[in-house]
Amino acid sequence: MARLAHALLTALLAAAPAAADPLGDALDGRCRPDGRLLPAARALLGPELPTPRALRLRTEAAGLYAPTVEHAVLPSPSPDDLRAALDALRSPRFVARCAIATDGVRVALAVAPRAAEWLIEESPDGLAVRAALPEGTTDATVLATRADGSVEVTPLDADGWARLTSPTTLRTLQVLGTLAEGPVPLATWHRTPGDDVVEALNDARGVIAAMNRARAATGVPALRREPLLDGVAQSHADDLARRGVLAHRPDAGDGPSERLAAAGLRADRIAENLARADSLGEAVARWLDSPSHRANVVDRTLLGVGVGVAARGSELYVVALFAAGAAMGAVR
């Protein structure tokens, strides 16, 4: 009789429907839940909103080296609102990592739009870095910010390894790869947290002045503002804000070089920094904290710059377009 009762109970439990999880269902197919983002999601429900750097460092401490951690805090547990928030934060060409937390009323969403797994082996002779790159990644490199603010670039070999010397002078490491949307940071590791300094910048002129202070600190000549580059950067910032995406190449055939050519300009070399931030100071702070973006800011061959800023709600989309060589004669 006991065995029969046990069998009946087992059958009833197996037949019972699983507990409904509408918020979890809202994430299904849109991102990959990752517990390493939970500390960031929980922090979003605290009395004060954490800074972007604080969110990223919490995630890094949990073992996920995401270059950026995007977030949203919803006033109520609405699956539709959660889906909309996630769609606004994730990259359409990359499987995002995500986590949600709730205090019973609000729902916090933390998203790493791009994050590659990697291994860092440290020895007295240097660092060995191995990265597991997303399918289709090309031109993968490791960028290292040194203590003096300079940036060193080392290509990953065919097996995904890069070796760097003088580990004691390393401040930040980043894996950069080129995907369909253009070059994107895939993982970032900070040897030390560094300073969480965000300047109060009022306009594009302030953005350029802040970048020139970083250049001066590394002994690099100042950038010159080029009005025609401003126009190209502003058009791209407007387009990104309208779409609500952050991409160097939002459509096929719409990259920085194509946008420059469409404006009748030419360059020996160009580079582009993008940011989606709450302020101009935060945008520049993110660039200087990211080795790949800092490399563009302090590149001594890139002397011309244009800056575009556009708003979408409370967020700013910021574009800095750098150019060298022939573009300088063409844009004057």
Side-chain angles (χ1 to χ4, degrees), residues 52-145:
R53 173 191 278 269
L55 290 176
R56 197 203 60 244
L57 291 178
R58 283 176 180 270
T59 304
E60 200 168 298
L64 181 64
Y65 301 101
T68 59
V69 177
E70 304 290 351
H71 68 275
V73 179
L74 309 179
S76 62
S78 165
D80 288 340
D81 290 348
L82 182 60
R83 276 189 288 267
L86 180 55
D87 287 343
L89 297 176
R90 68 192 180 104
S91 168
R93 298 187 179 95
F94 204 88
V95 178
R97 311 293 180 92
C98 62
I100 56 175
T102 180
D103 58 7
V105 178
R106 299 173 299 161
V107 175
L109 169 67
V111 179
R114 294 176 296 270
E117 301 292 349
W118 66 346
L119 172 70
I120 300 173
E121 297 178 351
E122 188 168 3
S123 70
D125 298 328
L127 287 178
V129 179
R130 188 175 189 182
L133 301 173
E135 185 177 352
T137 303
T138 60
D139 302 326
T141 57
V142 172
L143 295 96
T145 301

Side-chain angles (χ1 to χ4, degrees), residues 239-252:
D239 184 47
L240 295 178
R242 178 182 60 81
R243 296 170 182 253
V245 301
L246 201 66
H248 294 288
R249 188 174 291 111
D251 292 316

